[in-house]
Structure formats: C-alpha cells, structure tokens
Amino acid sequence: MNGHDTIIDHVNGETTAIAATSGRPRTRAEQRAITRRALLDATAECLVQDGYAGLTTRNVADRAGVAQSTFMHYFPTRDAFLIEAVEHVALRLLDDALDHIDVRALRTPRHREKVLDQAWREFSSPEALAAAQLWAAVWTEPELAEPLRRLEQRLDSIIAAAASTLFPDQSEDPRFPALLDLAISLIRGLVDAIPVWGRDAVDVRWQAIKPIVIEAAGRLLDE
C-alpha cells in the first residue's frame, strides 16, 4: 500500500480480489463490513500517529478515505465509536501478541528471558501505547468503564485459555492465574510510565525487574 492509498482502498482491493476469485460481486453486508473495518483500522492509525487528542471523527474519516457523514452513519455517537474502537484495537493487539510471543518456550529456563522480552516488545509497541491511551481515557469518560471491564474479562479468558492449554499441569494451581496477572499488570504499569520517563528509562527499569519475574515464574513452572 503506497502513501496515496487509503485504508479503505486497501481493504476494498483485497475484498475485490476475493470476490473476483469467487466470481461474484460484494453484497451490501460485505461492503458495510469493509467500511466499518476500514474506519476501525483508521482509528488505530490515528491513535498511533496523533494520539488520543487527535482522535476526532474528521481525522478518522479522512484516514479511512470516507466522508464524515459516512462515519456518523456507522457510529452515531462518540460513546458507541469509542467502545468499538477499544475492543478492535485491544483484540488486534492481543492477536498479534499471541502470534509473535513463543509462550511454549517458557517451559525451558534458558528461554524465559527471551519470551519476556518478546512480550515487552509487543506490549510496548506503538500500537500498544495507542491502546493504553484508550484505557487512560476512562478517567475523563467514565462511561467507558463498564465496556472496558467486559473487554478485560474477555481478554483475560483468552489469555487464560491459551496458558492452560500450554501448561495443563500448572493451570489448576491458584498461583498460576496470579502469575499471569502479575506479568500483565507489571507490563501495563511500565507502559503507563513511558510518557512520563521516556522509553529508554523505562527499558532500564524493565531490565532490572525482569530477573525477579523469571525467578517467580521458575518456582511455579519447574515444580
């Protein structure tokens, strides 16, 4: 996708190719799904490039290559938009993390540091920092609290299911979900510190804390 393509052009192009392969035109439902996905993908790009302050209907519509009125048709209220945007960005981030983090390698002590570093890279990426801004928005937009709780429960269940599949012997130990919560909460706290201290300073803190996390994980996983 070159610099002059819009997100919706890119998504439409992919879908056109699929439709051509199947020998049929897109249905209205498919076109609506394409446009909605383009708007949500544009939201993620807007957060990464412009931050939460730049997350406006005009900016998102411009990035998606649609009229602002089209945006309002799909998301008539800001609350509806933010709720779906949070879910879209968070699930995409988790999906990428599960693809790139070799959780199985935690079974081998010498590989644990590498796995934690993979997790740190994924959850402190520009996309993750963008998602963190949506979580921080709940301070000024408390109506996001309930949908965020539901989303976190969904994310937690996905992570727990994946971990239980990979570590069936430990999954019944009450310390196991606590260990997952420890790692996630620790990384989230450090990510929140990046805008305050800068990436380099927080990376130093991560390197100092990481051996303690490895030791705690080893006590449970090596039993």
Side-chain angles (χ1 to χ4, degrees), residues 184-217:
I184 293 170
S185 298
L186 170 63
I187 290 176
R188 176 181 290 181
L190 289 173
V191 165
D192 288 343
I194 289 176
V196 179
W197 294 96
R199 179 60 184 257
D200 290 344
V202 176
D203 277 338
V204 171
R205 291 171 63 183
W206 166 247
Q207 293 301 324
I209 294 170
K210 184 173 55 178
I212 301 172
V213 179
I214 293 173
E215 181 182 356

Side-chain angles (χ1 to χ4, degrees), residues 14 82 88 171-172 196:
E14 290 182 344
L82 286 177
H88 177 75
S171 61
E172 298 301 320
V196 179

Side-chain angles (χ1 to χ4, degrees), residues 48-77:
V48 171
Q49 298 296 325
D50 305 322
Y52 185 73
L55 189 63
T56 65
T57 58
R58 182 177 297 279
N59 283 347
V60 173
D62 286 348
R63 283 184 179 274
V66 302
Q68 195 170 1
S69 59
T70 300
F71 178 100
M72 299 305 296
H73 174 72
Y74 283 88
F75 303 106
T77 68

Side-chain angles (χ1 to χ4, degrees), residues 43-44 47 51-52 55 78 81-90 127-141 144-145 148 151:
T43 299
L47 280 168
Y52 185 73
L55 189 63
R78 178 173 171 79
F81 164 61
L82 286 177
I83 289 168
E84 192 157 348
V86 167
E87 182 171 351
H88 177 75
V89 172
E127 292 76 14
L129 295 179
Q133 294 181 62
L134 289 171
W135 257 256
V138 76
W139 287 102
T140 55
E141 303 188 55
L144 289 176
L148 277 175
L151 176 59

Side-chain angles (χ1 to χ4, degrees), residues 82-198:
L82 286 177
I83 289 168
E84 192 157 348
V86 167
E87 182 171 351
H88 177 75
V89 172
L91 289 175
R92 192 169 79 169
L93 177 63
L94 179 59
D95 189 51
D96 287 345
L98 292 175
D99 281 345
H100 292 98
I101 301 172
D102 184 12
V103 181
R104 292 179 180 85
L106 286 171
R107 294 180 179 277
T108 308
R110 74 174 189 274
H111 292 155
R112 285 173 187 156
E113 181 174 5
K114 179 181 178 181
V115 175
L116 287 177
D117 282 336
Q118 288 173 335
W120 175 243
R121 282 193 298 272
E122 289 297 320
F123 290 108
S124 62
S125 66
E127 292 76 14
L129 295 179
Q133 294 181 62
L134 289 171
W135 257 256
V138 76
W139 287 102
T140 55
E141 303 188 55
E143 61 275 10
L144 289 176
E146 179 56 32
L148 277 175
R149 280 195 293 269
R150 293 197 301 269
L151 176 59
E152 287 207 1
Q153 289 171 345
R154 183 178 176 188
L155 296 175
D156 289 345
S157 66
I158 294 172
I159 294 171
S164 296
T165 299
L166 294 171
F167 301 98
D169 294 338
Q170 288 81 17
S171 61
E172 298 301 320
D173 190 320
R175 295 174 298 170
F176 190 65
L179 180 63
L180 291 176
D181 191 24
L182 167 68
I184 293 170
S185 298
L186 170 63
I187 290 176
R188 176 181 290 181
L190 289 173
V191 165
D192 288 343
I194 289 176
V196 179
W197 294 96

